[in-house]
Amino acid sequence: MIKKERLELTRATRKGFTLIEILIVVAIIAILASVVLVGLGPTQQAGRDSRRLSDLHEVQNGLELYYNACGYYPGKDATTPCTGYQNVGSYTALKGILTGFASLGIGQVPDDPTAGHHYTYSVIPTTGSAYILGAVLENKNNSVFTSYTPPTNLSSYSDGSGAQACTAATGQYCLTI
């Protein structure tokens, strides 16, 4: 009888959690964390889309600065800006042109927040008189598409990878002049 009382006394005075109790708490926390992360997905998607739209307007401002200085939208001006229009080959080349023109004061040109994706840029060949600047939005039901009119005459633009269909169906949102 004394041994039984001593055993009960020892169990009653033990402090701490058992391994099973700790595992249960960790499992509950993991389930709650996964539910929260899944719930944040659409919010993060909307945030990236908002950034894309803001970036396009920022690049558009840079294009207008370039146009005011040169009289045409950027092409591949070799090393000296405003020395004659040539067609630009990609958005990456456009970034180099805008940041390489020191008097514009553009230190950095934004790019798509998703790794491996880039914005698109196409210009009317030979003249540089108009451009299409585009981004693929993750949410094809984005509210920006409700009053959106896609640019026309896409075939008249160079294929600097920007002359894709600019529609809500493709998720491609484009700005043009």
Side-chain angles (χ1 to χ4, degrees):
M1 211 135 109
I2 294 175
K3 286 185 178 183
K4 187 176 181 183
E5 289 174 359
R6 190 178 293 165
L7 183 61
E8 288 177 9
L9 183 62
T10 305
R11 285 183 185 168
T13 59
R14 262 194 296 177
K15 295 181 181 178
F17 297 103
T18 65
L19 181 60
I20 294 187
E21 290 170 332
I22 291 172
L23 289 175
I24 290 172
V25 169
V26 168
I28 290 171
I29 290 172
I31 291 169
L32 290 174
S34 65
V35 167
V36 167
L37 289 177
V38 168
L40 288 178
T43 303
Q44 291 173 333
Q45 186 182 57
R48 286 189 299 271
D49 280 351
S50 292
R51 177 175 167 198
R52 286 179 181 100
L53 296 173
S54 175
D55 285 353
L56 289 182
H57 289 289
E58 189 175 328
V59 173
Q60 192 174 34
N61 289 338
L63 290 170
E64 294 305 321
L65 288 171
Y66 189 97
Y67 185 86
N68 287 338
C70 297
Y72 53 84
Y73 292 104
K76 190 175 186 180
D77 287 343
T79 56
T80 309
C82 301
T83 57
Y85 177 80
Q86 294 179 9
N87 195 22
V88 67
S90 68
Y91 185 76
T92 303
L94 171 70
K95 288 170 50 175
I97 291 168
L98 290 178
T99 56
F101 195 169
S103 65
L104 291 180
I106 299 173
Q108 185 177 3
V109 178
D111 207 343
D112 195 293
T114 304
H117 293 90
H118 301 286
Y119 300 133
T120 56
Y121 174 75
S122 286
V123 65
I124 292 187
T126 67
T127 64
S129 59
Y131 65 85
I132 292 178
L133 186 62
V136 177
L137 303 182
E138 292 178 52
N139 181 4
K140 293 180 183 177
N141 296 319
N142 193 310
S143 62
V144 74
F145 288 120
T146 56
S147 61
Y148 175 68
T149 304
T152 57
N153 300 328
L154 292 175
S155 60
S156 62
Y157 290 84
S158 67
D159 189 6
S161 74
Q164 297 125 335
C166 298
T167 65
T170 62
Q172 179 88 3
Y173 178 81
C174 297
L175 297 175
T176 187
I177 179 127

